[in-house]
Amino acid sequence: MYDLWIAPFADYAFMRRALVACLALSVGCAPVGVFLLLRRMSLLGDALSHAVLPGAAVGFLLGGLALPAMGLGGLVAGMAVAVLSGLATRLTALREDANFAAFYLISLALGVMIISTHGSTVDLMHVLFGSVLAVDAASLTLIAAIASVTLAGFALLYRPLVAECFDPGFLRAAGGAGALVHLAFLALVVLNLVAGFQALGTLMAVGLMMLPAAAARMWARHLPGLIGLAGLIALASGYVGLVLSFRFELPSGPAIVLVAGAAYLLSLLFGRVGGALRR
């Protein structure tokens, strides 16, 4: 048991850094995923995860695989897509989901085009799928900082976010700044996707955000328990995925997301709150 579950982290520093990165991602991504789920915006996370790609690509052109350049570029691109989609929704007859889909497809194609024409296939694969085993001290610092900012943001936004999830009419009647709260929440989503793509790549970052939240929804009835359980499932998925990737030489990001997917499928069957067998 020691050789299987503990030795990889005791013997190798890169495994310890990867585990700490998964812990920080779990802390930040879990509440974001839960609120995306409750607000019926689950696919928005996927759209924004693709939207950061052109910014990361421009950062790659300017600074190579340097973390600050790619992270800042991804943040700017993600926020630009979120703001432009919101403006298009307010100024046209198209719904928000259609605008997000359109802008994320444009962003995805643009990012792949930039990296393909100015880089190599290896560079493209690194940006799209990441490598949590390659997380260095600078990346770890950024991921931990984003997790801290996320917790502080939710401490400030928790009550209006809950009100907007369950009774947006009450929030408007009480004079709550619904549009500002929505924009601040989108900023937290983009920040955590920027943290996630450093470890899991732009295509996998949303997996650790949504799958644990969806799995936890099958077990918990109350919001605090839902957030806590989603964080635990995300951390357990990261731990088991890292062990599997180390033992069987699997790509780490997909292994983590597949473990989270297995937790989701088991929760669909056995969950005590709306699971298939329970119903």
Side-chain angles (χ1 to χ4, degrees), residues 25-218:
L25 287 174
S26 302
V27 169
C29 289
V32 171
V34 167
F35 277 101
L36 282 173
L37 189 71
L38 294 177
R39 293 160 66 94
R40 296 177 176 86
M41 298 169 62
S42 300
L43 291 178
L44 173 65
D46 185 56
L48 287 177
S49 72
H50 294 80
V52 304
L53 183 57
V58 172
F60 165 75
L61 292 182
L62 297 177
L65 294 174
L67 171 69
M70 292 180 65
L72 180 60
L75 177 62
V76 171
M79 287 305 301
V81 167
V83 171
L84 289 173
S85 299
L87 287 175
T89 302
R90 290 178 179 272
L91 299 176
T92 69
L94 276 179
R95 292 170 58 89
E96 187 177 40
D97 57 343
N99 286 311
F100 266 113
F103 277 106
Y104 106 73
L105 287 171
I106 295 170
S107 297
L108 178 61
L110 180 61
V112 172
M113 182 69 71
I114 292 173
I115 298 176
S116 298
T117 54
H118 294 84
S120 65
T121 303
V122 174
D123 297 326
L124 180 61
M125 294 296 288
H126 177 84
V127 174
L128 290 178
F129 297 102
S131 178
V132 69
L133 298 181
V135 170
D136 56 14
S139 301
L140 199 56
T141 300
L142 176 64
I143 294 171
I146 289 176
S148 301
V149 169
T150 300
L151 291 181
F154 276 111
L156 294 173
L157 298 173
Y158 184 81
R159 294 185 61 152
L161 276 175
V162 172
E164 195 178 23
C165 285
F166 298 104
D167 194 352
F170 170 77
L171 183 64
R172 289 193 296 270
L180 184 60
V181 170
H182 183 67
L183 186 60
F185 176 68
L186 289 181
L188 292 179
V189 175
V190 173
L191 273 174
N192 280 275
L193 289 173
V194 168
F197 97 74
Q198 303 295 335
L200 304 174
T202 57
L203 295 185
M204 294 287 166
V206 73
L208 205 60
M209 184 178 291
M210 294 311 307
L211 287 171
R217 184 65 182 85
M218 296 289 100

Side-chain angles (χ1 to χ4, degrees), residues 19-27 208 212 229-241 256:
L19 183 60
V20 173
C22 288
L23 172 60
L25 287 174
S26 302
V27 169
L208 205 60
L229 183 57
L232 290 176
I233 293 174
L235 178 58
S237 300
Y239 181 78
V240 175
I256 291 171

